[in-house]
Amino acid sequence: MVNVSESAPREPQPLGNDEESQVDEAFAAYLVACDRGEVTSRDAFLKQFPSLSGRLRELIDSADLICRFTHAVGQPTSQPTGSAANHFPHA
């Protein structure tokens, strides 16, 4: 009899799964806080997570770029495109 769990391909597990979860949770908290108008400084938020700040900064910067792009694409050409800074506060 073949043990199915030994022969079935396994889903690769990312390294540092706990850290990845922490980054995901912190980024989600950042987005919620931004939506509520509670984040006044990006750097102040990042200081709350010193060991994750590099990864969080990358995610926040990426979200900022996406926001800029979507605002630019979604706006009529006769009006200014707006700034992602309105949604994601900078330091």
Side-chain angles (χ1 to χ4, degrees):
M1 178 177 245
V2 175
N3 186 341
V4 176
S5 64
E6 290 178 9
S7 63
R10 294 183 182 181
E11 185 73 26
Q13 295 296 316
L15 297 176
N17 194 22
D18 290 338
E19 181 179 331
E20 190 72 26
S21 294
Q22 291 173 1
V23 169
D24 289 346
E25 289 176 24
F27 183 60
Y30 178 80
L31 294 176
V32 168
C34 284
D35 286 344
R36 293 179 180 169
E38 298 170 352
V39 176
T40 57
S41 166
R42 187 178 286 190
D43 284 337
F45 182 84
L46 291 171
K47 285 180 184 178
Q48 297 176 54
F49 306 94
S51 65
L52 307 174
S53 64
R55 298 276 316 276
L56 280 173
R57 186 177 299 279
E58 289 175 8
L59 282 172
I60 292 168
D61 288 346
S62 296
D64 204 14
L65 287 172
I66 291 168
C67 189
R68 286 182 192 175
F69 177 75
T70 57
H71 280 245
V73 170
Q75 295 287 328
T77 56
S78 62
Q79 295 182 2
T81 60
S83 171
N86 295 335
H87 190 70
F88 299 114
H90 293 277

